[in-house]
Amino acid sequence: MEGTLGLHHVTCLAGDPQENLDFYLGVLGLRLVKRSVNQDDPATYHLFYADRQGTPGTALTFFPYPHLPPHRLGVGQAVEVALAVPPESLGYWEARLARYGRPLERGERFGLPALLFPDPHGLPLAFTAAEGPGLPWEESPVPPEHQVRGLLGARILEREVEATLAFLQGVLGYRQRQVGDGAGWILEQEGSFLEVRALPGGRRGTLGVGGVHHLAFRVRDEAHALALREAALAWGLRPTPLIDRFWFRSVYFREPGGVLLELATEGPGFAVDEDPEALGERLVLPPWLEGQRPAIEAALPPVRLPGKEG
């Protein structure tokens, strides 16, 4: 059975949506490729940041919930997102992030040099020196040679790692190598990484602002998603049916340690309902929510794109 094709996107919880936009567009220079709503809670935005065209494997997405308490770190969660930046760009990013007041720490992720810092709402990020699939965006405030190149990986905390490691390898198709300190394992697939760290006796985390909601993995098409869904069922997990998210089709389930995962198809993609040159400039809704547009728009706080009106 074919495993997944690496990460598709990672979805997190943010606070104020305007602060989120100002940071990810204005500071990190990502492109807003879709301005929509949480399809399970349409009174909340769903903001998708990615490369120039929303290439699968480059999207970091957010549900803004300003009223929620901060994320409480613990086991059964993804707790950090690593983004790939060109290896020669770490110095540029160190200076740029310092200029914007981000507390910075030099470190290492997946055996590669990294800059570690939180976003304005507390989400731990790791800018890691690596190549990625992302395409530069000409309108970014960051020069093309220094722009983020997409998702590189994520860190997971587990009370017990054995079943999680077996599932990630046996079903999703990741390959394993142990970290030197013996407390964690690095898994690799299709240019993306997962670090699974053991925290025996650790308390379970509570999702809030600054936390990772779920990790989404790429699958080719619906048939690929359904085959992996059957494998998850055979493991005794409880995957959802295939869900139409309009820009992709998805299956959701919790892996043996409790982290919420998604299988997301590569297509049809973010340009199926917008001009590729105008992605993210207006609120777009899947067809089944269009009839609720007046109520949805009235419930959402107004936001503007940095450097643009409205």
Side-chain angles (χ1 to χ4, degrees), residues 33-99:
V33 295
K34 196 61 60 180
R35 187 195 318 193
S36 191
V37 295
N38 181 340
Q39 294 179 20
D40 301 315
D41 181 13
T44 299
Y45 282 111
H46 193 177
L47 305 174
F48 294 74
Y49 304 98
D51 72 342
R52 182 179 71 204
Q53 61 188 35
T55 305
T58 69
L60 182 59
T61 91
F62 290 88
F63 300 139
Y65 282 103
H67 62 281
L68 289 185
H71 173 72
R72 189 185 76 183
L73 184 144
V75 298
Q77 293 184 325
V79 297
E80 181 185 84
V81 181
L83 298 171
V85 296
E88 65 278 7
S89 295
L90 284 185
Y92 168 88
W93 280 108
E94 187 168 33
R96 182 174 178 83
L97 291 166
R99 189 164 68 249

Side-chain angles (χ1 to χ4, degrees), residues 135-148:
L135 302 172
W137 177 43
E138 296 80 0
E139 296 184 40
S140 172
V142 174
E145 66 271 20
H146 296 308
Q147 288 178 27
V148 174

Side-chain angles (χ1 to χ4, degrees), residues 136-218:
W137 177 43
E138 296 80 0
E139 296 184 40
S140 172
V142 174
E145 66 271 20
H146 296 308
Q147 288 178 27
V148 174
R149 293 297 193 258
L151 296 170
L152 186 65
R155 171 176 281 188
I156 292 172
L157 290 184
E158 301 281 17
R159 187 174 292 134
E160 299 176 354
V161 301
E162 288 77 10
T164 294
L165 292 172
F167 178 80
L168 294 174
Q169 294 174 87
V171 177
L172 299 194
Y174 274 78
R175 301 181 299 277
Q176 174 185 320
R177 60 184 174 89
Q178 188 168 350
V179 180
D181 62 9
W185 291 259
I186 292 177
L187 309 180
E188 181 180 1
Q189 181 194 67
E190 298 286 342
S192 69
F193 297 84
L194 297 175
E195 182 182 357
V196 181
R197 296 198 66 82
L199 194 65
R203 67 181 183 180
R204 188 161 291 276
T206 301
L207 185 62
V209 172
V212 177
H213 187 273
H214 65 269
L215 305 178
F217 297 87
R218 290 169 52 211

